[in-house]
Amino acid sequence: MVRTRIAPSPTGADVHVGSVATALMNYAWAKKNKGQFVIRIEDTDRTRIVEGGEAQMLSTLKRIGLIADESPEVGGPYAPYRQSERLNIYKKYAEELVVKGKAYYCICTQERLAKMRSEQQAKKQVPKYDRLCLAHQKEIISKIKSEGVRHVIRLLIPEGQIKFNDAVRGEIIIDAKNIDDQVILKSDGFPTYHLGVVVDDHLMKITHIIRGEEWLPSTPKHVILYQAFGWDLPTFVHISLLRNPDKSKLSKRKNPVWTSYYLDQGILPEALLNYLALMGWSHPEGKDIFSLDEYIKVFDIKDIQTSSPIFDPVKLEWMNGMYIRKYPVLSIKYKVLEFYKDKKLDEKLVEKTIPLIQDRIKKLSDYLTLCEFFFKTPKKYEVDLSNKKEFFEKVYSELEKVTDWKALVIGESLINLAKKLEIKNSQFFMDIRLVITGKKISPPLNESMEILGKEECLKRLTRIQFFCIFSV
Ligand code: GLU
């Protein structure tokens, strides 16, 4: 049985797009193998917790469709799925390691540790705990029992090499002498990441740990823990971090990193997942566009690439545009209505306008940028039209005569007028476009005018006489 997980820490306002890429692989691998995908919240580093971060993360993951089989919200056979609710479990396992001689109590004060570290640094040694407490375990244990003295539990790092296999990077060998005796249980009773993650992945029967490469330096410590407990290792897969187009690490300074930012722009969840699926993996047939179901079918851990994938929001938008184009009008209508639900747009009107812009928009938020004039008379024009009053009067008289208000007929009558007035088509239509839509760029003009209706168009043509704010 394949069981995968993501184990986010609620230390940010939302889910990072890189974490969604990781979550997607975990999700796909579980689904492909008819297994389970678990979400576990790792909230043991209390100082870094961002208020509301967990709820936001869980809601964003649902919004993009990565639905967990087990999580703090839906529960499951290994609940609780929030580490802060599992403290007694970590304590028990940490103490078990002490009994086995694989870990020890440490009562060194912060002052002593700081002094030790600066002395080591002065001697150009790697700062490492000097194991003072290891030699006095009996006294320390009785001190803890009788006086309740503050203590931590440290992992006793064994000598020799630590070997493990990464499913994409191959065998990794580390010399344990460079590893400090890690604190695994803090004095406040919270585990550190290493203990929490190993205990939970074991108890929750996780078979594959697919996570970002930033966790690779932690894995040898985890391997030591697995061995200390006598547990089998899961399959480790460390995937490369996303980079900006200039190859720098994806960070808030260059591009937005929070997933909701993209969804709030009207990037479709399925397009975002499709794009992220291509981060460090390619479709065996070289396809760019594929569904989540297809991805699940063809994805294989062994095909994950180790080169750093580039997350380019411009390409993401391009892909989103491809998705928007391939959907039927009705489906885009509902997506637009849902996206702008606060604005309560007229459903019929949205439906009529979609065919005009479906090929042009790249994200749902482009819709009103192009189409707002259908719902609201423009309040300002991108070009000053104040000296065009007479011209618009002529257009008015011409259009007033049109009885069959259809794009083709409107177009013909306007072309005739342009000829008669000897105005170049480009200038002629630009001015009409501006007065009708407010903008220099709009959906096709004749079709837009047909949708707006004769009365509204005539009104907009006369409006210029008393309303002439313009903006550039
Ligand atoms: N809590 C870690 C994080 O915030 C989890 C790392 C892991 O997947 O082991 O991403």
Side-chain angles (χ1 to χ4, degrees):
M1 177 58 86
V2 166
R3 286 174 59 82
T4 63
R5 55 49 162 195
I6 52 165
S9 296
T11 52
D14 190 13
V15 191
H16 191 286
V17 281
S19 306
V20 175
T22 310
L24 177 60
M25 283 186 187
N26 278 287
Y27 178 84
W29 190 243
K31 297 296 144 189
K32 184 187 180 77
N33 293 289
K34 312 258 175 293
Q36 287 98 34
F37 168 63
V38 177
I39 298 179
R40 180 178 69 235
I41 296 292
E42 297 202 332
D43 56 350
T44 57
D45 189 349
R46 307 305 284 175
T47 55
R48 291 182 58 226
I49 288 180
V50 168
E51 181 114 21
E54 178 192 314
Q56 180 62 42
M57 273 178 170
L58 293 174
S59 116
T60 302
L61 286 164
K62 271 191 281 186
R63 198 171 160 198
I64 51 171
L66 296 181
I67 309 291
D69 299 296
E70 297 163 31
S71 75
E73 288 180 317
V74 297
Y78 306 100
Y81 291 89
R82 195 179 283 114
Q83 288 191 325
S84 57
E85 293 163 19
R86 301 170 60 82
L87 300 186
N88 53 342
I89 302 177
Y90 310 120
K91 184 169 189 288
K92 169 179 164 270
Y93 280 97
E95 284 169 356
E96 184 186 312
L97 286 188
V98 176
V99 173
K100 282 183 160 177
K102 309 276 185 187
Y104 58 94
Y105 293 106
C106 173
I107 56 167
C108 288
T109 59
Q110 287 307 323
E111 295 74 50
R112 172 170 193 272
L113 293 174
K115 188 162 167 265
M116 176 199 78
R117 248 177 262 131
S118 60
E119 280 168 10
Q120 287 169 335
Q121 266 156 358
K123 286 190 224 151
K124 303 245 175 316
Q125 292 169 346
V126 186
K128 255 172 94 174
Y129 180 59
D130 61 5
R131 295 188 168 167
L132 176 68
C133 287
L134 182 60
H136 306 92
Q137 282 298 285
K138 271 215 182 103
E139 299 125 76
I140 290 173
I141 292 172
S142 76
K143 255 190 166 179
I144 293 172
K145 277 201 185 131
S146 58
E147 301 164 33
V149 65
R150 272 177 86 80
H151 60 279
V152 299
I153 296 182
R154 284 183 187 272
L155 180 63
L156 181 62
I157 302 292
E159 279 174 19
Q161 287 184 330
I162 302 154
K163 285 189 198 162
F164 64 94
N165 204 56
D166 180 289
V168 286
R169 287 159 204 265
E171 189 177 44
I172 294 178
I173 304 177
I174 302 280
D175 196 332
K177 76 168 186 293
N178 298 322
I179 305 178
D180 196 5
D181 280 356
Q182 302 290 309
V183 172
I184 54 172
L185 197 74
K186 294 183 279 187
S187 56
D188 59 3
F190 277 77
T192 55
Y193 162 60
H194 307 304
L195 180 70
V197 82
V198 168
V199 167
D200 286 347
D201 284 335
H202 172 74
L203 294 182
M204 295 179 182
K205 300 202 163 45
I206 301 301
T207 56
H208 295 76
I209 296 179
I210 308 173
R211 64 182 165 205
E213 67 185 338
E214 73 268 38
W215 304 104
L216 193 54
S218 298
T219 309
K221 298 163 197 168
H222 301 176
V223 171
I224 294 171
L225 276 163
Y226 277 98
Q227 288 166 348
F229 283 117
W231 295 337
D232 289 340
L233 292 182
T235 299
F236 291 109
V237 187
H238 291 90
I239 58 176
S240 299
L241 296 183
L242 305 191
R243 308 231 155 231
N244 288 308
D246 67 2
K247 302 261 163 74
S248 60
K249 192 174 156 230
L250 197 64
S251 70
K252 277 174 264 178
R253 262 169 291 125
K254 296 249 165 88
N255 274 317
V257 295
W258 301 133
T259 306
S260 318
Y261 168 83
Y262 294 97
L263 300 176
D264 292 346
Q265 296 260 308
I267 296 289
L268 306 174
E270 55 275 40
L272 180 62
L273 289 181
N274 187 159
Y275 185 65
L276 290 176
L278 291 165
M279 299 286 104
W281 177 86
S282 333
H283 190 287
E285 289 160 34
K287 284 190 199 172
D288 278 330
I289 311 278
F290 44 83
S291 67
L292 180 57
D293 283 345
E294 182 173 349
Y295 173 61
I296 292 170
K297 267 191 209 119
V298 295
F299 172 71
D300 197 320
I301 283 180
K302 71 171 176 26
D303 300 328
I304 296 174
Q305 299 145 4
T306 48
S307 56
S308 291
I310 304 291
F311 178 81
D312 184 349
V314 176
K315 289 207 178 121
L316 170 61
E317 276 197 17
W318 167 83
M319 183 169 282
N320 201 55
M322 302 293 280
Y323 268 81
I324 289 179
R325 237 155 288 172
K326 83 183 172 95
Y327 280 121
V329 169
L330 283 190
S331 146
I332 295 299
K333 175 185 83 173
Y334 289 120
K335 288 181 197 299
V336 165
L337 287 171
E338 171 62 22
F339 184 76
Y340 290 108
K341 60 175 178 293
D342 298 343
K343 295 205 184 272
K344 303 203 169 30
L345 299 179
D346 178 320
E347 186 176 336
K348 285 253 154 50
L349 190 48
V350 172
E351 187 171 328
K352 283 190 206 157
T353 58
I354 301 284
L356 267 47
I357 49 83
Q358 195 169 359
D359 284 357
R360 300 183 177 210
I361 62 171
K362 292 208 176 84
K363 47 192 191 306
L364 297 176
S365 59
D366 294 339
Y367 175 76
L368 272 192
T369 312
L370 276 175
C371 290
E372 190 156 32
F373 72 93
F374 284 114
F375 305 90
K376 271 192 212 152
T377 309
K379 284 214 178 75
K380 48 190 182 186
Y381 307 101
E382 283 181 346
V383 172
D384 182 7
L385 297 176
S386 51
N387 58 352
K388 303 266 166 148
K389 194 177 146 220
E390 275 173 39
F391 168 69
F392 288 125
E393 276 169 7
K394 288 178 191 147
V395 178
Y396 184 99
S397 311
E398 187 68 22
L399 288 178
E400 208 186 11
K401 287 185 257 165
V402 176
T403 46
D404 186 16
W405 194 257
K406 288 279 172 329
L408 214 67
V409 189
I410 300 168
E412 270 168 17
S413 93
L414 288 178
I415 283 188
N416 287 339
L417 180 64
K419 259 195 217 136
K420 207 158 76 192
L421 299 178
E422 294 180 349
I423 306 178
K424 270 210 331 235
N425 271 355
S426 52
Q427 182 62 50
F428 178 88
F429 281 103
M430 179 54 80
D431 287 343
I432 302 178
R433 184 184 305 282
L434 278 161
V435 80
I436 298 291
T437 71
K439 296 193 174 179
K440 288 192 271 190
I441 295 173
S442 79
L445 183 61
N446 302 334
E447 285 75 2
S448 300
M449 288 172 77
E450 177 183 329
I451 293 173
L452 276 170
K454 183 171 173 180
E455 197 186 328
E456 178 63 24
C457 290
L458 293 180
K459 209 166 88 193
R460 290 188 188 191
L461 283 162
T462 53
R463 207 168 157 267
I464 203 73
Q465 297 171 16
F466 45 85
F467 187 79
C468 243
I469 302 174
F470 68 94
S471 71
V472 180

